[in-house]
Amino acid sequence: MSDGILPAIVAALKPLGLNYAFALDASERQAFVRGLGVTLELCLLTIPGSLLAGVAIAAALTSGRPWLAKPARAFVEVTRNTPTLVQLYCAFLVLNMLITQQLRPLGGSNPLTPVIWVVIVVSLHKGVFHAEALRAGIEAVPRITLEAARSLGFSQRQLLARVELPLAVRFALPSLVNNLIDLVKMTAVASAIAVGDVTYESIMIWTQRDNVLELLLLILLYFGLLTWLVSLAGRWLEERWRMPGYGQ
């Protein structure tokens, strides 16, 4: 492609004032494509990670046990009221250093890479928003439905897993999809700790070529595509999980 179509595309865009010459350099092109892959990998890891965190936190919030609900509520308030970037810096520059210092005397190395820290921080940060959406969904489950389930001998755990969560997910799905769209955009903070996502690789390229506008357009298009796919999946789930009689 670099010997035919790609040079033609670069040449066609040049009269428009768009300099995409970096695409003709094999190393820079590969770095950019690698960045696209890392961003996609972060999305694929943080989406399920945040949903699992959200379910766990929501279960704690609605457990009815103060020793579990109060710490969960404190975690939610602290996490959602502080910037993701600050949380990432605290985790990577402070917690990561402390773990490394503790493992060094034991002859071990820190297994937590920058990518893992991004996944942990972003998953937990967006997980608290999922948890609040699920909590609202759980509280919206009709009381008569819960009483019917209890009359069948469901334990509290079975009630949560088989009745409350399935219904709560349907109630909360629009909010969850909005959260996931925001999560996809949030993965760009990975560049702050030199994770080679598409934002970081683009910064490395434009510092050498001064083509900020051109690369930002590509970044916007790529994130636009990813968020559109998440939105599309959300609409498909809403149609598939639609339940007559429950606000539909």
Side-chain angles (χ1 to χ4, degrees):
M1 182 175 180
S2 60
D3 295 331
I5 300 177
L6 193 56
I9 294 175
V10 172
L13 292 174
K14 192 171 183 180
L16 301 176
L18 298 175
N19 175 22
Y20 284 103
F22 82 92
L24 302 179
D25 185 287
S27 62
E28 292 183 345
R29 183 174 66 249
Q30 289 171 4
F32 184 78
V33 172
R34 185 169 58 250
L36 297 176
V38 171
T39 294
L40 180 60
E41 178 186 5
L42 289 173
C43 293
L44 294 177
L45 291 173
T46 52
I47 286 175
S50 67
L51 291 172
L52 288 174
V55 170
I57 298 169
L61 290 172
T62 59
S63 64
R65 301 170 182 173
W67 63 270
L68 193 57
K70 288 183 178 180
R73 172 53 57 190
F75 179 77
V76 168
E77 294 301 328
V78 171
T79 303
R80 72 178 180 178
N81 292 326
T82 54
T84 316
L85 184 59
V86 174
Q87 294 170 13
L88 182 60
Y89 279 143
C90 288
F92 183 67
L93 299 178
V94 179
L95 292 180
N96 189 61
M97 180 186 66
L98 292 175
I99 292 172
T100 301
Q101 290 176 347
Q102 293 298 317
L103 292 176
R104 187 177 295 130
L106 302 176
S109 58
N110 190 344
L112 299 176
T113 64
V115 170
I116 294 176
W117 279 114
V118 172
V119 172
I120 292 172
V121 171
V122 173
S123 295
L124 289 176
H125 183 90
K126 195 49 64 176
V128 303
F129 290 90
H130 295 334
E132 286 292 85
L134 289 171
R135 180 188 59 79
I138 289 172
E139 292 176 353
V141 175
R143 186 177 299 276
I144 191 172
T145 302
L146 301 179
E147 292 175 353
R150 290 192 184 97
S151 69
L152 295 175
F154 280 29
S155 66
Q156 186 62 35
R157 183 176 298 178
Q158 290 174 322
L159 192 67
L160 178 66
R162 298 185 182 183
V163 180
E164 291 180 304
L165 272 180
L167 291 175
V169 168
R170 287 166 169 82
F171 295 146
L173 191 55
S175 295
L176 293 175
V177 172
N178 285 336
N179 290 341
L180 292 176
I181 289 173
D182 191 50
L183 179 147
V184 170
K185 297 180 290 184
M186 190 181 291
T187 59
V189 301
S191 61
I193 58 172
V195 172
D197 70 330
V198 65
T199 306
Y200 181 81
E201 296 296 351
S202 297
I203 292 172
M204 293 299 101
I205 294 172
W206 77 46
T207 54
Q208 301 296 323
R209 290 184 175 270
D210 192 25
N211 55 350
V212 179
L213 172 62
E214 292 81 357
L215 285 163
L216 282 177
L217 289 175
L218 292 180
I219 293 172
L220 289 172
L221 288 173
Y222 187 59
F223 276 104
L225 173 63
L226 293 178
T227 54
W228 176 75
L229 291 174
V230 172
S231 177
L232 195 66
R235 289 198 298 270
W236 179 81
L237 285 175
E238 285 186 38
E239 290 297 324
R240 185 176 179 84
W241 289 351
R242 189 181 298 274
M243 293 182 61
Y246 282 93
Q248 303 292 346

